Amino acid sequence: MPFITYLSGLLTAQMLSDDQLISGVEIRCEEKGRCPSTCHLCRRPGKEQLSPTPVLLEINRVVPLYTLIQDNGTKEAFRSALMSSYWCSGKGDVIDDWCRCDLSAFDASGLPNCSPLPQPVLRLSPTVEPSSTVVSLEWVDVQPAIGTKVSDYILQHKKVDEYTDTDLYTGEFLSFADDLLSGLGTSCVAAGRSHGEVPEVSIYSVIFKCLEPDGLYKFTLYAVDTRGRHSELSTVTLRTACPLVDDNKAEEIADKIYNLYNGYTSGKEQQAAYNTLMEVSASTLFRVQHHYNSHYEKFGDFVWRSEDELGPRKAHLILRRLERVSSHCSSLLRSAYIQSRVDTVPYLFCRSEEVRPAGMVWYSILKDTKVTCEEKMVSMARNTYGESKGRYYLTLKVSPF
């Protein structure tokens, strides 16, 4: 018996009067407002005063609205309408865990579109800090409990720079199901699948292990459902960290070049200096120049001494390589101290246990694919930059769109 019915029964039997109190029962009444004057149901018969407005004090149970309806026919109609509105955009009926679309709910391609295909949100993995060559991305599975079924995710990645026509160069497209989970893709890319805080929610991840340092990359993701529809695109644009530099080696090379330039430079010493400077990376060369000017600029800066000792042509071939260093990295390479470290980071590597039949991709549900996952480790070398020993900082440039 509901508690309010029990109290009404007590009042009806006049068991709560002053003459006959119930032990252990205390009732306090407080007016919480009034019903609107337009509500005829709130008026007490024969009394001008309106009854108090009902106030929600607490929620102890959540139930669908249609369960409050007593008539079975009305309850079923209300339930169907609510389910259709929530899962099928009000343009179809819920059958088990999918939507049967109305005849008016088809797009120009003849595909049913009453059940929306949500847009996945691509993001950087919070557990893997990007390095100069490694970037890890992840997204939450967008397949709803009822309605559209996701068959695959398509991930596009491409390097963007001033030398690339972004309209002509489309980059590389990877199918999460056919290329990554099947193991047909390159060893430089690995796919993973895990669960979020709720076991029913899947989180997909992709780790790229062979990117170029100091490169601007654009990653684009969209979902494909079992009927071939594509979701809206989700994009992440980021620049990988600057190339690794062995600062101790750069300083040793700067000392070596000074000794070769010092005094009379023979042809053999000129060729040794030229070969040494052409063999190192552009970033290391930039750092060699920094150390040379820091220690020996009073004898002439690096550019002038190179032109004087090696001649304009060879010096130009060396110095033009410094143009490959971006303005962002060149500012970091001017730091007083650079320290190197290697991090070992775990990541998930998953493979499908079953072979998806060719030509039947759209009819397979990605969430139902059985996968075997194992945890692997990837070594990520990094540079940290600072203005004094023992105090270093990291920089990462990321743009979500």
Side-chain angles (χ1 to χ4, degrees):
M1 177 186 297
F3 186 62
I4 188 63
T5 304
Y6 169 71
L7 291 180
S8 299
L10 293 180
L11 290 172
T12 302
Q14 295 182 351
M15 296 180 68
L16 294 180
S17 63
D18 294 337
D19 299 333
Q20 192 174 1
L21 293 176
I22 300 298
S23 177
V25 175
E26 181 180 0
I27 297 179
R28 294 174 181 167
C29 297
E30 180 181 358
E31 185 173 321
K32 291 289 185 179
R34 298 181 181 277
C35 286
S37 58
T38 56
C39 178
H40 66 282
L41 297 177
C42 296
R43 298 180 180 274
R44 295 180 180 180
K47 294 186 178 182
E48 296 181 357
Q49 186 178 4
L50 302 179
S51 61
T53 302
V55 175
L56 180 63
L57 299 180
E58 66 174 307
I59 300 176
N60 54 20
R61 189 162 61 102
V62 178
V63 296
L65 287 175
Y66 56 79
T67 61
L68 304 177
I69 301 175
Q70 301 300 320
D71 179 70
N72 289 336
T74 306
K75 179 188 294 186
E76 180 59 27
F78 192 21
R79 185 194 70 83
S80 299
L82 284 177
M83 296 285 283
S84 173
S85 176
Y86 188 82
W87 296 110
C88 309
S89 304
K91 301 176 183 178
D93 298 322
V94 173
I95 307 296
D96 295 331
D97 63 346
W98 58 280
C99 288
R100 182 180 62 189
C101 298
D102 299 336
L103 295 178
S104 59
F106 285 77
D107 59 19
S109 303
L111 297 174
N113 63 352
C114 65
S115 178
L117 177 57
Q119 176 191 24
V121 179
L122 188 64
R123 66 192 183 197
L124 286 173
S125 298
T127 57
V128 181
E129 179 187 346
S131 70
S132 57
T133 58
V134 179
V135 169
S136 180
L137 303 167
E138 68 178 28
W139 65 93
V140 178
D141 186 22
V142 296
Q143 177 172 304
I146 296 176
T148 187
K149 306 301 178 187
V150 175
S151 67
D152 201 0
Y153 289 97
I154 306 299
L155 184 64
Q156 176 197 20
H157 70 98
K158 62 181 179 179
K159 186 180 180 183
V160 182
D161 53 42
E162 62 271 21
Y163 307 107
T164 304
D165 189 333
T166 55
D167 295 330
L168 297 178
Y169 174 64
T170 59
E172 183 179 3
F173 288 85
L174 294 172
S175 163
F176 190 84
D178 291 340
D179 296 329
L180 301 180
L181 287 183
S182 65
L184 298 178
T186 172
S187 60
C188 288
V189 186
R193 185 175 75 180
S194 59
H195 296 288
E197 297 180 357
V198 181
E200 293 78 15
V201 177
S202 297
I203 298 178
Y204 297 103
S205 61
V206 174
I207 184 169
F208 294 85
K209 298 180 287 184
C210 305
L211 301 179
E212 296 183 18
D214 193 25
L216 183 63
Y217 285 88
K218 182 178 180 180
F219 301 90
T220 304
L221 177 76
Y222 64 87
V224 181
D225 71 1
T226 52
R227 294 187 173 97
R229 290 186 304 164
H230 292 184
S231 70
E232 295 293 328
L233 301 177
S234 178
T235 302
V236 169
T237 302
L238 63 86
R239 181 177 292 278
T240 52
C242 299
L244 295 175
V245 173
D246 186 337
D247 200 34
N248 293 328
K249 180 181 178 181
E251 192 167 13
E252 291 175 1
I253 294 175
D255 294 337
K256 176 182 177 181
I257 297 300
Y258 169 74
N259 292 327
L260 291 172
Y261 286 173
N262 190 26
Y264 173 75
T265 306
S266 65
K268 182 178 180 180
E269 291 171 330
Q270 288 180 353
Q271 190 62 38
Y274 176 77
N275 291 341
T276 299
L277 296 176
M278 290 297 290
E279 289 171 358
V280 299
S281 66
S283 297
T284 300
L285 178 62
F286 195 101
R287 193 63 180 171
V288 169
Q289 180 188 31
H290 171 81
H291 283 300
Y292 187 98
N293 291 336
S294 298
H295 299 313
Y296 311 113
E297 191 172 16
K298 61 183 178 181
F299 303 108
D301 70 0
F302 179 78
V303 174
W304 181 82
R305 290 290 289 158
S306 296
E307 291 176 344
D308 184 57
E309 298 293 340
L310 305 180
R313 188 183 69 84
K314 286 187 175 181
H316 175 71
L317 292 176
I318 294 171
L319 297 174
R320 68 183 296 184
R321 300 176 61 227
L322 297 176
E323 299 174 1
R324 303 177 187 174
V325 182
S326 66
S327 57
H328 168 65
C329 290
S330 62
S331 63
L332 292 176
L333 290 172
R334 293 188 183 95
S335 303
Y337 299 97
I338 298 180
Q339 189 178 52
S340 300
R341 79 175 197 270
V342 178
D343 296 336
T344 303
V345 181
Y347 69 94
L348 273 182
F349 176 74
C350 297
R351 286 288 181 90
S352 174
E353 297 179 0
E354 53 195 25
V355 178
R356 289 161 58 116
M360 299 290 287
V361 175
W362 287 354
Y363 302 97
S364 302
I365 300 176
L366 181 61
K367 196 171 186 177
D368 295 342
T369 302
K370 296 180 179 179
V371 298
T372 301
C373 298
E374 61 177 314
E375 186 177 87
K376 291 194 172 185
M377 309 298 290
V378 58
S379 296
M380 304 172 65
R382 308 179 190 278
N383 280 338
T384 52
Y385 309 85
E387 298 306 323
S388 62
K389 289 186 177 180
R391 299 182 64 182
Y392 299 91
Y393 54 89
L394 280 170
T395 62
L396 174 66
K397 298 180 71 175
V398 178
S399 172
F401 302 104

